[in-house]
Amino acid sequence: IFFRSLHLTMGDGEGEAVKVAVRMRCFNGRETKENATRIVRMEKFEKGSNTFIKDPNSGQEKKFVYDYSFQTHSKTEQGIGEWADQNTVFDTLGRPVMNSALEGKNVCLFAYGQTGAGKSYSMLGKQDDPGIIPRTCDAIFELIDNNQDASLTYVVEIQVVEIYCEMINDLLADRKKWPAHGHKPQLTDQGYIVK
């Protein structure tokens, strides 16, 4: 029912942290058809959040503490947590990572979880409801467009990869041209890259 996203910000000692967020997605077609029961609810605080999972047999809840809990299951159901749309997720996770990168810090944002958990939706979104990656690209190019300092030049590079079954795949490359056993990371002067 949810995916986990790790936000890693590394820098000069200030703000170094690993932040963990969890997102509860809506039921998929199979779950709706089978009349699945929601067993997750969330609480958001000024700092941190709780995610509760209820045992459907005993009714007992187990609490999990995360930095962020995003409820994207239902806009209308009461008592399951505040609704979080793509913009909320971007402003909470994506924008701070982007801002740290623009300050020259090494950053990483990745999503992990089982197939169908909502990773692609959170990271890429849909054409009419973009996720973190396209929103980040839009924000970066908006900052460049709004720059008034003619002495600045910009170089924007992006790499989007998936690690699946211990293979690295370049998500911006044609899938038909992917190596049979995935790409291998290579250390360059700019750090590790996937070729």
Side-chain angles (χ1 to χ4, degrees):
I1 269 205
F2 53 116
F3 91 96
R4 296 180 189 171
S5 168
L6 224 59
H7 155 198
L8 172 62
T9 304
M10 296 173 53
D12 55 6
E14 207 172 303
E16 287 186 23
V18 174
K19 303 285 184 184
V20 180
V22 62
R23 187 172 191 183
M24 176 174 43
R25 64 161 173 75
C26 60
F27 286 141
N28 62 30
R30 180 187 54 81
E31 292 162 340
T32 301
K33 185 178 176 183
E34 294 175 1
N35 293 317
T37 301
R38 179 195 47 75
I39 59 170
V40 177
R41 70 180 180 87
M42 299 173 158
E43 291 179 336
K44 180 180 168 186
F45 303 107
E46 192 172 319
K47 189 167 185 153
S49 66
N50 292 332
T51 296
F52 299 88
I53 300 178
K54 181 167 55 172
D55 181 324
N57 297 319
S58 69
Q60 289 186 309
E61 284 188 320
K62 184 164 183 170
K63 178 175 82 170
F64 299 87
V65 178
Y66 297 101
D67 296 292
Y68 308 104
S69 295
F70 299 110
Q71 186 278 111
T72 312
H73 181 74
S74 172
K75 287 183 184 180
T76 58
E77 189 175 348
Q78 298 296 305
I80 66 171
E82 185 180 321
W83 171 256
D85 61 11
Q86 293 282 66
N87 202 51
T88 303
V89 174
F90 172 69
D91 283 341
T92 306
L93 293 178
R95 191 176 301 279
V97 170
M98 177 192 74
N99 289 338
S100 292
L102 293 173
E103 292 170 0
K105 296 178 182 173
N106 293 318
V107 297
C108 178
L109 175 76
F110 68 92
Y112 68 97
Q114 68 187 39
T115 300
K119 302 174 300 293
S120 295
Y121 177 72
S122 293
M123 298 301 281
L124 297 171
K126 297 179 179 179
Q127 191 161 5
D128 62 340
D129 194 17
I132 292 171
I133 293 169
R135 287 173 188 263
T136 300
C137 293
D138 288 345
I140 288 170
F141 288 111
E142 184 178 325
L143 286 168
I144 292 169
D145 287 344
N146 292 334
N147 176 52
Q148 301 297 315
D149 186 347
S151 68
L152 289 178
T153 58
Y154 297 90
V155 176
V156 178
E157 295 178 6
I158 185 170
Q159 187 168 46
V160 182
V161 298
E162 75 171 357
I163 302 171
Y164 182 73
C165 293
E166 298 184 23
M167 292 189 298
I168 300 172
N169 295 307
D170 183 347
L171 296 178
L172 300 178
D174 183 353
R175 285 182 180 252
K176 294 174 186 166
K177 296 180 182 176
W178 285 0
H181 299 290
H183 295 276
K184 304 295 180 219
Q186 297 176 2
L187 181 59
T188 69
D189 293 341
Q190 289 82 34
Y192 278 96
I193 62 167
V194 175
K195 285 191 172 184

